[in-house]
Amino acid sequence: EDVPVAPEDVAGAGQQVELEFDGVYQNSDVWLNGQHLGFHPYGYTAFGFDLTPHLKSGDNVIAMRVRNLGDNSRWYSGSGIYRHTRLTIANGVRIPRFGVGLTTRQVSGAEATIAAQVTVHNRSTGPASPAVRVIVLDAQGKQLAETGIDAQSLAAGEKKDALLTLKVANPPAWTPDTPQLCTAIVQLIINGAVADQVIETFGIRT
């Protein structure tokens, strides 16, 4: 199916545009303006493509072909785009897809230690110095913890992982009987402004 993307300039100067699929069953090829972006064979994993180098002024057309042929994993597996699809526009300095990892290192009734690994990617054409901030909220929106690291220098095209530790007092522990989810707001800060933000939900548990 051919899908027209928003007309005129989709991205501003220095912005990056990605097309993300949470699931396409299966053997999918994707094109933008006739340029083959790639092939994804497996039907149950997320994938995406960078549209930025191939965008043009005016109409842009995305085309996808799905070839669901031969044996399948069950008697009826479905076919085509069956999960969420997103057109993501981000600044040149950003947190990439799957760029946030949250792990409970230790938890008790009194305190939990949360490790946050944040990937920072500078896809701009010049150096950048982003700081990283992580804020943890409970299910009611109450702030439980906040931490950050100072600005770190990234050359054009460079990618680094920032490792942060948060201490949460009296943590709302996740269990099968009380599946309480917290929210982590992960931000990149450049010159005092939020350049990118990712929001993830997670449970405090071992």
Side-chain angles (χ1 to χ4, degrees), residues 4-201:
V5 181
E8 301 307 324
D9 293 318
V10 177
Q15 290 185 312
Q16 308 293 319
V17 182
E18 288 188 349
L19 181 63
E20 300 177 351
F21 298 93
D22 282 352
V24 179
Y25 200 90
Q26 60 177 341
N27 293 317
S28 57
D29 285 277
V30 180
W31 291 263
L32 173 62
N33 299 325
Q35 175 69 43
H36 186 244
L37 300 179
F39 168 70
H40 190 78
Y42 193 53
Y44 295 119
T45 51
F47 62 100
F49 298 107
D50 182 11
L51 306 186
T52 314
H54 311 293
L55 289 171
K56 63 180 183 179
S57 295
D59 289 342
N60 290 270
V61 177
I62 295 168
M64 169 174 277
R65 179 179 65 192
V66 174
R67 289 172 293 172
N68 186 1
L69 306 172
D71 294 337
N72 278 279
S73 60
R74 51 180 68 95
W75 71 273
Y76 178 68
S77 59
S79 192
I81 302 171
Y82 67 96
R83 289 180 180 157
H84 293 303
T85 302
R86 289 174 298 277
L87 187 68
T88 302
I89 302 175
N91 291 320
V93 182
R94 54 80 178 267
I95 301 168
R97 187 163 47 99
F98 307 134
V100 175
L102 299 161
T103 307
T104 306
R105 295 297 188 198
Q106 172 274 333
V107 62
S108 67
E111 185 180 72
T113 302
I114 309 298
Q117 179 172 319
V118 182
T119 302
V120 185
H121 192 187
N122 180 12
R123 294 182 61 185
S124 67
T125 57
S129 298
V132 180
R133 178 167 61 198
V134 179
I135 303 166
V136 175
L137 310 176
D138 66 12
Q140 288 72 46
K142 177 186 175 183
Q143 182 169 318
L144 301 177
E146 179 178 347
T147 192
I149 61 170
D150 294 335
Q152 53 181 340
S153 179
L154 289 173
E158 188 176 7
K159 183 186 292 186
K160 286 184 180 179
D161 285 340
L163 303 176
L164 303 94
T165 301
L166 300 103
K167 299 288 188 179
V168 177
N170 304 311
W174 189 101
T175 70
D177 294 327
T178 59
Q180 306 176 83
L181 290 178
C182 295
T183 299
I185 303 172
V186 184
Q187 298 174 331
L188 298 186
I189 312 295
I190 299 178
N191 298 326
V194 176
D196 195 16
Q197 176 173 284
V198 171
I199 298 175
E200 296 281 1
T201 54

